[in-house]
Amino acid sequence: MRRPQRLGAGPGAHPEAAAEPAFGALLAAVRARDPQADAALVERAYAVAAHWHHGQKRKSGRPYITHPIAVATIVADLGMDHQVVCAALLHDLLEDTAYPADRLGEEFGEEIADLVAALADATRVRRALALLADRTLTLPDRERAVLVLKLADRLHNIRTVRFMARATQLRKAQETLDIQAPAARALGLDALSSELQNLASATLRPPVRVRTVSQRVLAATTLLLPPTVRARWLEEWIGELATLPTRPARTRFTARVLLGIPRLSLILHHPPRSGDVPW
């Protein structure tokens, strides 16, 4: 992956951030869905986010940059355009870092800057939800993108909610059932809605601390992945397992993961460079 030569007027990305294999997989997904996507802009958004989030940690102890990458991967998988992917990579800059807000439009254009600003504007999010609930009105594309970004952010947070205090887990899970899962369904994102609902419902159940056979198999499977991303993938797989109520369902999920490991491992060990043809 080629690092941007320059990040506007600011410093370059940290070398360890530029080597993040999960971003290589995201970039490949973006380019596979739209060969005309501005991959250089996505790379630049990643580099800026990696620089400004450098040193920050998630509750899990993982580098903070893993969260924007995960959110961006979710929106890319939902078929959103590269501008929405950029906004996902940048979505926590204004609230969680010292990045100057007035530089966002200069570096990434007004559309991306508007999306990032909207995510931090609770009033605008509530207005978009109200428009969505009113079936007599059409939700504008930009407002739809804002809601998709918020839902992707919540999805990754609820996947990793077990690292939060129990009271926070319960509050986030109930909010997800009451607001985010219905919103995803209203947007026609049924798979996203189902995962939000399943994860939230599982969180509201009393925690079970039994280490299942499937968990042990998945933990062993991560040894085929680069060391820097093993914890992140295991974290998400275990989160998905928590939503499955029966042993056969967990076994089927584990089998699907095992079948997909060769391709995932190849992508993560050999992320595409700019100019490469998508696989």
Side-chain angles (χ1 to χ4, degrees):
M1 181 185 71
R2 176 184 57 82
R3 264 183 296 156
Q5 303 260 332
R6 214 179 140 67
L7 307 178
H14 293 270
E16 63 270 27
E20 173 62 61
F23 175 71
L26 166 63
L27 189 61
V30 169
R31 295 171 61 209
R33 284 166 177 76
D34 179 11
Q36 303 306 313
D38 190 344
L41 191 64
V42 177
E43 288 184 281
R44 188 206 235 160
Y46 163 67
V48 168
H51 170 75
W52 287 96
H53 287 301
H54 180 68
Q56 296 179 343
K57 299 287 186 182
R58 297 273 287 167
K59 293 286 187 184
S60 63
R62 299 288 295 151
Y64 196 90
I65 190 61
T66 59
H67 172 63
I69 292 173
V71 174
T73 300
I74 292 167
V75 301
D77 287 343
L78 290 171
M80 304 302 288
D81 64 35
H82 71 270
Q83 291 186 314
V84 181
V85 172
C86 287
L89 289 167
L90 301 165
H91 79 274
D92 278 334
L93 282 190
L94 300 185
E95 291 187 289
D96 294 340
T97 78
Y99 180 83
D102 57 359
R103 269 179 51 188
L104 201 57
E106 296 173 8
E107 291 203 69
F108 297 100
E110 291 307 318
E111 287 195 34
I112 292 174
D114 180 62
L115 284 174
V116 175
L119 292 172
D121 185 344
T123 299
R124 182 164 171 183
V125 173
R126 284 196 297 269
R127 186 167 63 244
L129 286 169
L131 287 172
L132 181 64
D134 189 339
R135 298 306 178 89
T136 67
L137 300 174
T138 301
L139 187 68
D141 288 344
R142 286 294 97 178
E143 303 310 305
R144 176 184 171 85
V146 169
L147 290 182
V148 171
L149 283 163
K150 291 295 286 187
L151 291 171
D153 183 42
R154 173 52 59 94
L155 177 57
H156 186 247
N157 281 331
I158 204 72
R159 283 175 176 173
T160 58
V161 75
R162 68 186 180 281
F163 295 107
M164 299 180 181
R166 185 60 181 161
T168 303
Q169 292 181 32
L170 297 176
R171 177 173 57 82
K172 293 287 187 184
Q174 192 60 57
E175 184 182 74
T176 299
L177 287 177
D178 293 342
I179 300 173
Q180 281 83 16
R185 193 176 307 112
L187 285 170
L189 305 174
D190 293 340
L192 179 58
S193 177
S194 293
E195 186 175 356
L196 286 168
Q197 185 165 341
N198 291 340
L199 288 168
S201 297
T203 300
L204 291 172
R205 292 195 294 268
V208 177
R209 303 194 180 277
V210 176
R211 187 167 173 81
T212 67
V213 172
S214 291
Q215 287 176 323
R216 290 196 294 271
V217 171
L218 291 175
T221 298
T222 62
L223 295 177
L224 298 174
L225 304 179
T228 54
V229 297
R230 289 172 188 167
R232 175 223 164 186
W233 283 98
L234 182 60
E235 163 186 298
E236 298 205 9
W237 290 335
I238 298 302
E240 296 239 14
L241 275 180
T243 72
L244 304 175
T246 66
R247 180 177 294 178
R250 292 191 291 271
T251 300
R252 287 193 296 271
F253 172 78
T254 303
R256 287 198 300 272
V257 171
L258 291 175
L259 288 172
I261 276 294
R263 184 184 184 201
L264 177 63
S265 178
L266 180 64
I267 292 171
L268 295 180
H269 279 289
H270 304 285
R273 296 166 298 177
S274 293
D276 285 351
V277 177
W279 75 90

